[in-house]
C-alpha cells in the first residue's frame, strides 16, 4: 500500500469537491473492498476521502411507498431492516448470502455497488489486465476461467461483478442516486454497471468525482415472492459461481409479471428481460420455467473452464422460479 | 503504557523466571535473550516524534486511550499488533478472508485488517484482551475452554469476539441467510446449529475445531451442547 | 493413582489461548525491531536479467534490500534429515535462476511493515522467460525412489509380490479405475513468520513456529556456521502447521541471514499470497488401481500405480502406495510410484502424506468392488482384513480394525442402508451413505523430558517438544499427574524452547507417542530419587531435606519391538450426504468415526484431533484445489478467498469413538498417536456416499458443483 493523505469528509458537498479537485483521490466507506485492493497495489490514490461519517445512514419510506436507502447504510442494517425483510425479502437474502457478518457490518450500500471484480488475474499485479491497465491484455480469457463470465463478455475482459446485493436490486428496479459538482442524477441500477466492451477499466457509469448518495426502491408487491439462490464452492463465505434472483406475480393460473436476474455470470448484474417477457401470461409450471431459463442463457458464450455455469444457471433459474411461484422463501 | 502491555510484560517475565530457574537448577547457563526486557521498549514507529507522512491519532481500546503516530495507511490490525503490542488479534490473511483479526467496534464485530486505524478514532474498540474482567473470563471464553473450541488457538480470539457479537445480534433479532422466515428471527433459545454455523462462517479454523466452537456458542446461549469428548468403547486406563 | 488418563480434561494452554495471551512466532516483542518483506518471482521458469532496487532502496524508512546480487552470507547445510534439514535444497538468492512462480528473489528491510511492503513493490525485475512445465498430465514421469530413513522404508517406489499376471482371469469381480486428487495447500491460520534476533555476530535467538525445535536449532547453526548452543529457538505456540512448519523455509533462512547483516532484530511475516506458493503443498496425484476378487469377496490381487509431482529445487514424492500392503490381505500385490518435475514450489508432508490420497483411491476402489460383488462394503473390508503387514511380514500389534468397522456401523445405523444407488430420498434431496477405512502408521523416536518436583507440590515438565494444537501441553501434564498422583492443575508444562531437553518432532503423529513415555520415566525417576511412592511422600521428604527440588531427566526411544511387530492405527468413517441434484448442491449431513489408536490419553483433545483430520478431509473431498495459469505458471489460487477450505457452514457434527486397548508393545504408555489418521479415508467415504446418493462415481477430487452436474 502506497501512503496517502487521509481526510474525513463532513458533508456530501465536501466529499465531492475534494474528489473533484484531486483526480487521484478516492472515496472510502466501509473499506472492505478498497483497503483490500490498496494492499495489493490495485489502486494507488494520493488521497482517501473518508465518507463514512457523512449522514447518509437513513432508510426512509418514499412518497411512492418504496424505500430510499442512504449510501452509507451498512449491509447488515439494510438486510435486517423490517420493511426490507417484509417487502423485499430477496434483497435481505441476497445481502446475507454475501461475504460474512463482519464484512456486512462494515460494508455500505455505496461501496457494495462499487466493489470491483474478484478475477484473480485482476487481483494480482503479477498478471497483465485490461481492467487494471488498459491495453495490456486479458490473460483470463486463455487462462483459468472457471469463475468467469458466460454472458456479455468481450475480448478485452471476461471478469464478473461479484456483488450479490446488486443482483437483487436489479430485479427490484432500483435506482441509484448520485451527486457530483453538476448536481444530482438518478441512474437505474441495471444501467449503473457496464459491460466491458473495450473499456473494461470502467465498471460503472459513475463519473469521476461523483458520489453515490442513495438507492431508491420503488414499491413492488411481487417482490414478496422474491427468491435469492446462490450456488458456490463453499456453503458460506464464498462468492457465487452462479446466483439468481427471481420474483413472480401469479394471477389465477397465469404469470402476470416475472423478474429474473443472474449474478456471477457477467460484468454486471444480468437482468434476463427476454425470459421475463416470455413468462408473461404463461402458466407457472416447470416446462415454462425451463424454457425461460433456456432463453435467459441462449446467448451464453462459455470459456474453456466455465461451460458448467450455463447449465447451472439454467437449473438455478428453474429452481428459483419454482420457489417464487410458491410464494418465495429459502432454497 | 497501556494496560494489556503491562499484562504482556508480566507474562514474559514469568516465562523468563520459569526457564531461568529451571536451567540454573539444572546447572546449565544460558545467555539471557533480549526477549526479557522486551516490553519496556515500544516498537520503532510508535515513538514520540512525528515522521513525515504520519499523523497523530487516538484510539480507545478496551477502555484505554492510546495516542499514536502512524501513517494513514496503517490498518487497525497492524496498529494493534505492531504499534501497541496487542497481539491477541491475529493476522491470518490480511485480506478479510479468514476472521482471525475480528474485533468489536462499538459492539459490532468487524475485521480489523480491512479498516484503517485513522478511521476508528472516537470509537470503542474491544479486542480479545479486553473481554475478561480481571481474572474472570467472559462466559464465551469459558465456553470455548470447556468445549474444546480451539486447537492451535490462532483463530480463537477472532472466533471468540465473533461469538460475543453473535449473542448480541441474536438478542437484537437479527436474521441470517439460513433463517427460514426472515420476519421471524430466532431467539437465543431457538438458535439452531445451522444458524450458529452460518453466522460464524466468517471465521475460518484450519485446525477445524468447528464442532467445539458451535458447542461453545450453544453453551453461551444457554443451550446444552453435546460433549466434546469422544465416546470410549474400551479400557484405556490400561 | 488418580486415574486422569483417558478423561476429558481442559487444555492446559487453554486460558492463554482464549485470552489472547498465547504468543506466536511474530508476536514476541523485541525492541528496535524492523520488518522484512519478500519479493517473489512473477514468472515460473527462466532467470533474472536485471533487478533494479535503486528506487526501493531510496524510499523512506528502507534499511536494506537483498537480492541475488548481494545475498547475505549463508552456509550450505548437510541437509541429511539427521543433522539438519531445510525444505528447499536450493538456498535463497543463490543465483538468478527462477524455478517456480512465487520463488523468493529478494527481501526488503524497512522500519515499518508498510514501508517494507511498498518498497518491495517498487523493485523492477526484468526476466528472461522460458515456457514453464505446469501441467501434471503432460509431465515426464520417472520411477520415484524412497527418500526417507529406515522407518519409512515401506514407502519406497516399486514393489511386487505373488504372481500378478496370473490372477486377473480367474477373478469373479474386478475393478480398474483411475483416481485423481488436486494440489492442496496446508493453509495454517498462522502465516509462516519469524523474528530473528542476533545478540552478537555468533549468537542468535529465533522466534519461529517450528514443529521440530531441535532440528531447527541444528539446521540454523549449520546455515550460519555457529555452534548449535549459540542458536536458541523459541516456539511456545504454533498456529497450525500440518507438515509445513517442520524445517526452515527459504524466507526463514533469509530473515536470519539478513538480521545478522543489518544488526537489528528482524521480523519477516510471509503474506498469505506468498505463502500459497512458497511454503509447501501436497502434490496432485493420479492413481490407477486394479482389484480382483473371488466370489467370496476375497481379494486375489491389488495393483496400485501412483504418480505425483515435485519441484525443480527439491524432491518430494507423495507416497500413495505405502498403505496398500497394510490395508488388505492379498496374495498378489504390485505397487509403483512415479514422479515428475513441475515448475512449482516444493511439495512436502501434508497431514498423512501419501496415506491420504492413497486411501482415497484404494477406498474408492474397494467401494466399487463391493458394488461389483453386490456385497456390503463393511463386509468386504471385514473379509479382507490382514493380520500382518504384507510387506514387512510382521504381525500388527493391538489391531482392532474390525471393531472400528462393526462399532461404526452400529453407531451409524448402517444396517438400515438400502443396497442400491438413488434409493434414499428426502423431499428434493437424494440421500447417500458411504463408508471407508482409515489407517496411519505409528511412529516414534527418541525424546527426552525433564521433570522437577518443587516443595509447594507443583511439578514442572520441560521439553523442547511442542503443541501446535494437538493437545501436547495437556497430555504431558496428564501423564505427569497420573504417574505422580497429583492433580493436573499442579503440573506446569513448558514446551517449544531449544534450551530444553530434546522433545522430538511434532510430525508423523508421533509427538505424544515419543514424548509421554519419557515424561513417565522421568516422573518415576523423580520418585525414585526421593525414595517415595508418590508425590505427597516425595514433597514431604523434599521439605525435610532442605533442597529446592527433586528433578530427573529421562529419554525414551523405540527398540527391538520394531523387529517383532508392525504398528498402525486403524479406523472407519461412516457418513451421510445429501445431494440436491437439480442445483448440484452437496452437503455432508452426518458423520461417525471410530478409531483404534492404542491408549487414549485425553478423550477430548484426541476427539478434536480426529475431527480436525476429518474436516480437512472434507475440504479435500469438497473444495480444496490449487491452479496455475497455464501460460505463465503463476498461481491463480493464491489466498483464502480463492483457496477454499471448509467454513463452519460446511461441517456437520462429527461423532468420534475410540475402540481397542493400550498398545504396550509399542511403548510404555501404550499410545500410538492420532494427528493424521482422521483425514485418511474421508474423501473416499464422501465419494462413496455421493455414489450411493446419485449413482455417479466421482473419481477426481474435489467434488465441486460442476462435477455433480455431469
Ligand atoms: C473475503 C470477502 C468476501 C466477500 N464476499 C462477498 C460476497 O459473497 N458477495 C458480495 O456481494 N460481496 C462480497 N464481498 C464484498 C463486500 O460486499 C464489499 O467489499 C463491500 O460491499 C464494499 O463496501 P464498502 O463500504 O466496504 O466499500 P469500500 O471498500 O469502502 O469502497 C469500495 C469502492 O467503492 C467506492 N465507494 C464507496 N462508497 C462510495 C460512494 N458512496 N460513492 C461512490 N463510490 C463509493 C470506493 O471508492 C471504492 O472504490 C466480500 C468481500 C471480501 C473481502
Ligand atoms: S486477517 Fe483479517 S480477516 Fe484474515
Ligand atoms: S484453532 Fe487452529 S485455526 Fe482454529
Amino acid at each position: 500500500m502506497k501512503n496517502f493523505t487521509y481526510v474525513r469528509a463532513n458533508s456530501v458537498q465536501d466529499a465531492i469537491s475534494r474528489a473533484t479537485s484531486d483526480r487521484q483521490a478516492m472515496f472510502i466507506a466501509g473499506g472492505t473492498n478498497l483497503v483490500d485492493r490498496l494492499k495489493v497495489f490495485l489502486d494507488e490514490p494520493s488521497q482517501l476521502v473518508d465518507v463514512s461519517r457523512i449522514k447518509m445512514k437513513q432508510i426512509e419510506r418514499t412518497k411512492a411507498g418504496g424505500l430510499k436507502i442512504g449510501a452509507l447504510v451498512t449491509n447488515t442494517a439494510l438486510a435486517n431492516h423490517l420493511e426490507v425483510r417484509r417487502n423485499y425479502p430477496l434483497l435481505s437474502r441476497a445481502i446475507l448470502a454475501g461475504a460474512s457478518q463482519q464484512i456486512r457490518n462494515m460494508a455500505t450500500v455505496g461501496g457494495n455497488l462499487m466493489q470491483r471484480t474478484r478475477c484473480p488475474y485482476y487481483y494480482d499485479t503479477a498478471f497483465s489486465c485490461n481492467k487494471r491497465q488498459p491495453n495490456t491484455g486479458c490473460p483470463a480469457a486463455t487462462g483459468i476461467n472457471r469463475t468467469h463470465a458466460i454472458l456479455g463478455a468481450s475480448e478485452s475482459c471476461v471478469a464478473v461483478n461479484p456483488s450479490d446485493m446488486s443482483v437483487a436490486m436489479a430485479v427490484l428496479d432500483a435506482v441509484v442516486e448520485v451527486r457530483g459538482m453538476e448536481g444530482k442524477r438518478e441512474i437505474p441500477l441495471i444501467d449503473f454497471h457496464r459491460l466491458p466492451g473495450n473499456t473494461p477499466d470502467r465498471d460503472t457509469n459513475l463519473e469521476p468525482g461523483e458520489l453515490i448518495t442513495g438507492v431508491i426502491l420503488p414499491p413492488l408487491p411481487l417482490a414478496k415472492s422474491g427468491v435469492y439462490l446462490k450456488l458456490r464452492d463453499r456453503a458460506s463465505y464464498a462468492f457465487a459461481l452462479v446466483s439468481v434472483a427471481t420474483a413472480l406475480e401469479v394471477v389465477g393460473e397465469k404469470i402476470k409479471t416475472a423478474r429474473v436476474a443472474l449474478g456471477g455470470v457477467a460484468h454486471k448484474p444480468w437482468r434476463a428481460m427476454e425470459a421475463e417477457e416470455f413468462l408473461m401470461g404463461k402458466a407457472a409450471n416447470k416446462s415454462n420455467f425451463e424454457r425461460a431459463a433456456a432463453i435467459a442463457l441462449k446467448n451464453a458464450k462459455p470459456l474453456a473452464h466455465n461451460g458448467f455455469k450455463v447449465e447451472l444457471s439454467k437449473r438455478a433459474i428453474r429452481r428459483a422460479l419454482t420457489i417464487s411461484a410458491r410464494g418465495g422463501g429459502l432454497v | 503504557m497501556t494496560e494489556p502491555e503491562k499484562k504482556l510484560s508480566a507474562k514474559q517475565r514469568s516465562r523468563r523466571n520459569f526457564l531461568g530457574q529451571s536451567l540454573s537448577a539444572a546447572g546449565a547457563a544460558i545467555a539471557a535473550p533480549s526477549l526479557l526486557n522486551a516490553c519496556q521498549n515500544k516498537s520503532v514507529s510508535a515513538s514520540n516524534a512525528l515522521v513525515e507522512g504520519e499523523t497523530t491519532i487516538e484510539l480507545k481500546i478496551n477502555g484505554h486511550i492510546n495516542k499514536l503516530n502512524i501513517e494513514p495507511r496503517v490498518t487497525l490490525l497492524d496498529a494493534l499488533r505492531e504499534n501497541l503490542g496487542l497481539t491477541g488479534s491475529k493476522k491470518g490473511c490480511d485480506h478479510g478472508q479468514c476472521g482471525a483479526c475480528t474485533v468489536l467496534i462499538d459492539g459490532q464485530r468487524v475485521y480489523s485488517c480491512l479498516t484503517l486505524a485513522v478511521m476508528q478514532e472516537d470509537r470503542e474498540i474491544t479486542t480479545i484482551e479486553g473481554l475478561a474482567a480481571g481474572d474472570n473470563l467472559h462466559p464465551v471464553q469459558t465456553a470455548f475452554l470447556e468445549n474444546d473450541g480451539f486447537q492451535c488457538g490462532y483463530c480463537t480470539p477472532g472466533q471468540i469476539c465473533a461469538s460475543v457479537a453473535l449473542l448480541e445480534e441474536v438478542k437484537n433479532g437479527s436474521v441470517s441467510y439460513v433463517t427460514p422466515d426472515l420476519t421471524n428471527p430466532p431467539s437465543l433459545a431457538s438458535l439452531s446449529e445451522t444458524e450458529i454455523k452460518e453466522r460464524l462462517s466468517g471465521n475460518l479454523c484450519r485446525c477445524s475445531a468447528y464442532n467445539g466452537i458451535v458447542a461453545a456458542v450453544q453453551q453461551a446461549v444457554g443451550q446444552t451442547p453435546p460433549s466434546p469428548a469422544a465416546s470410549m468403547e474400551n479400557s484405556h486406563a490400561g | 493413582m488418580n486415574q486422569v488418563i483417558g478423561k476429558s480434561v481442559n487444555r492446559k494452554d487453554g486460558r492463554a489461548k482464549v485470552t489472547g495471551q498465547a504468543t506466536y512466532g511474530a508476536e514476541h516483542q523485541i525492541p528496535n525491531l524492523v520488518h522484512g518483506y519478500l519479493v517473489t518471482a512473477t514468472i515460473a521458469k527462466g532467470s533474472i536479467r536485471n533487478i533494479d532496487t535503486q528506487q526501493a532502496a531510496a524510499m523512506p524508512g528502507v534499511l536494506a534490500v537483498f537480492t541475488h546480487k548481494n545475498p547475505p552470507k549463508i552456509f550450505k547445510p548437510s541437509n541429511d534429515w539427521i543433522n539438519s534439514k531445510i525444505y528447499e535444497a536450493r538456498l535463497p538468492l543463490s543465483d538468478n535462476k527462477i524455478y517456480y512462480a512465487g520463488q523468493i528473489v529478494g527481501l526488503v528491510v524497512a522500519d515499518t511493515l508498510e514501508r517494507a511492503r511498498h518498497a518491495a513493490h517498487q523493485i523492477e525485475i526484468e526476466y528472461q522467460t522460458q515456457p514453464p512445465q505446469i501441467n501434471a498430465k503432460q509431465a515426464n514421469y520417472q520411477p520415484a525412489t524412497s527418500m526417507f530413513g529406515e522407518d519409512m522404508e515401506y514407502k519406497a517406489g516399486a514393489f511386487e509380490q505373488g504372481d500378478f499376471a496370473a490372477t486377473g482371469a480367474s477373478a469373479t469381480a474386478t475393478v480398474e479405475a483411475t483416481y485423481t486428487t488436486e494440489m492442496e495447500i496446508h493453509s495454517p491460520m498462522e502465516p509462516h513468520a519469524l523474528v530473528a534476533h542476533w545478540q552478537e555476530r555468533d549468537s542468535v535467538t529465533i522466534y519461529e513456529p517450528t514443529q521440530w525445535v531441535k532440528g531447527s536449532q541444528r539446521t540454523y547453526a549449520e546455515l550460519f556456521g555457529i555452534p548449535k548452543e549459540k542458536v536458541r529457538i523459541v516456539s511456545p505456540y504454533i498456529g497450525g502447521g500440518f507438515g509445513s512448519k517442520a524445517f526452515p523455509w527459504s524466507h526463514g533462512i533469509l530473515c536470519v541471514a539478513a538480521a545478522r547483516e543489518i544488526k537489528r532484530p528482524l521480523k519477516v511475516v510471509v503474506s498469505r499470497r506468498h505463502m500459497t506458493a512458497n511454503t509447501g503443498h501436497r502434490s496432485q496425484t493420479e492413481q490407477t488401481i486394479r482389484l480382483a476378487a473371488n466370489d467370496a469377496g476375497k481379494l486375489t490381487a491389488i495393483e496400485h500405480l501412483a504418480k505425483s509431482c515435485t519441484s525443480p529445487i527439491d524432491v518430494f514424492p507423495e507416497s500413495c502406495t505405502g498403505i496398500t500392503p497394510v490395508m488388505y490381505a492379498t496374495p498378489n500385490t504390485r505397487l509403483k510410484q512415479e514422479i515428475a518435475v513441475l515448475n512449482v514450489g516444493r511439495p512436502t508432508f501434508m497431514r498423512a502424506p501419501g496415506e491420504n490420497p492413497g486411501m482415497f483411491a484404494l477406498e474408492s476402489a474397494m467401494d466399487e468392488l463391493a458394488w461389483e460383488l453386490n456385497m456390503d462394503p463393511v463386509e468386504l473390508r471385514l473379509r479382507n482384513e490382514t493380520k500382518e503387514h504384507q510387506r514387512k511380514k510382521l504381525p500388527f500389534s493391538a489391531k482392532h480394525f474390525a471393531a472400528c468397522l462393526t462399532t461404526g456401523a452400529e453407531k451409524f445405523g448402517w444396517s438400515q442402508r438400502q443396497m442400491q444407488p438413488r434409493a434414499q430420498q428426502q423431499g428434493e434431496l437424494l440421500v447417500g451413505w458411504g463408508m471407508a477405512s482409515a489407517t496411519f502408521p505409528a511412529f516414534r523416536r527418541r525424546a527426552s523430558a525433564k521433570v522437577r518436583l518443587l516443595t509447594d507440590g507443583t511439578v514442572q515438565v520441560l521439553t523442547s517438544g511442542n503443541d501446535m494444537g494437538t493437545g501436547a501441553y495437556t497430555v504431558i501434564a496428564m501423564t505427569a499427574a497420573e504417574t505422580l498422583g497429583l492433580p493436573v492443575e499442579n503440573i506446569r508444562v513448558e514446551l517449544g524452547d531449544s534450551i530444553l531437553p530434546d522433545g522430538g518432532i511434532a510430525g508423523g503423529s508421533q509427538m505424544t507417542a515419543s514424548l509421554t513415555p519419557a515424561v513417565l520415566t522421568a516422573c518415576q525417576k523423580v520418585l525414585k530419587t526421593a525414595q517415595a511412592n508418590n508425590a505427597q511422600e516425595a514433597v514431604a521428604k523434599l521439605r525435610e531435606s532442605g533442597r529446592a527440588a527433586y528433578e530427573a531427566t529421562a529419554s525414551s526411544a523405540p527398540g527391538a519391538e520394531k523387529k517383532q511387530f508392525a504398528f498402525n492405527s486403524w479406523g472407519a468413517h461412516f457418513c451421510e450426504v445429501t445431494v440436491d441434484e437439480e442445483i448440484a448442491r452437496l452437503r455432508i449431513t452426518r458423520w461417525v468415526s471410530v478409531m483404534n489408536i492404542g491408549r487414549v490419553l485425553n478423550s477430548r483433545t484426541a476427539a478434536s484431533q480426529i475431527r480436525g483430520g476429518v474436516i480437512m478431509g472434507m475440504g479435500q473431498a469438497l473444495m480444496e484445489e490449487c491452479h496455475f495459469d497455464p501460460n505463465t505458471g503463476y498461481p491463480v489460487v493464491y489466498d483464502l478467498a480463492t483457496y477454499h477450505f471448509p467454513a463452519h457452514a460446511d461441517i456437520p457434527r462429527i461423532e468420534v469413538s475410540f475402540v481397542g486397548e493400550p498398545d504396550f508393545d509399542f511403548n510404555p504408555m501404550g499410545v500410538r498417536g492420532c494427528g493424521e489418521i482422521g483425514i485418511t479415508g474421508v474423501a473416499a467415504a464422501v465419494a462413496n456416499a455421493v455414489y450411493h446418493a446419485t449413482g455417479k462415481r466421482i473419481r477426481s477430487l474435489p467434488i465441486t458443483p460442476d462435477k455433480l452436474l455431469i
Side-chain angles (χ1 to χ4, degrees), chain B residues 11 15 18 22 33-34 38 81 92 135 141 148 151-152 193 197 206 210-211 233-234 236-237, chain C residues 11 15 17-18 23-24 27 29 186 197 232 272 452 460 494 599 608 624 646 651 653-654 658 660:
Chain B
K11 175 178 158 275
R15 180 178 168 83
F18 183 43
S22 65
S34 62
R81 287 171 63 83
D135 278 346
Q141 290 174 310
D148 221 31
Q151 294 187 27
C152 79
E193 275 186 25
K197 290 190 293 186
R206 186 54 158 166
Y210 290 132
N211 280 195
E233 311 284 324
N234 54 1
H236 282 284
Chain C
R11 284 179 195 254
R15 200 177 170 94
K17 285 178 175 174
V18 300
T23 308
Y24 298 79
E27 298 173 347
Q29 303 288 303
H186 305 70
H197 184 196
R232 180 169 175 191
R272 183 59 63 175
R452 173 180 303 116
Q460 299 172 348
E494 198 72 24
R599 176 145 72 166
S608 289
E624 296 185 31
I651 301 307
R653 262 193 209 179
I654 295 157
F658 292 108

Side-chain angles (χ1 to χ4, degrees), chain A residues 27 29-34 99 108 112 114-115 164 212 230 239, chain B residues 96:
Chain A
F27 298 131
T32 60
N33 185 229
L34 188 57
T108 63
N112 193 312
M114 294 298 290
Q115 66 171 304
D164 289 295
I212 300 172
K230 180 172 178 179
F239 290 95

Side-chain angles (χ1 to χ4, degrees), chain C residues 416-430:
Chain C
Q416 305 300 309
R417 173 176 176 265
Q418 303 202 24
M419 274 276 273
Q420 75 205 51
R422 304 184 69 87
Q424 299 179 175
Q425 292 204 3
Q426 235 172 53
E428 259 144 0
L429 304 175
L430 293 166

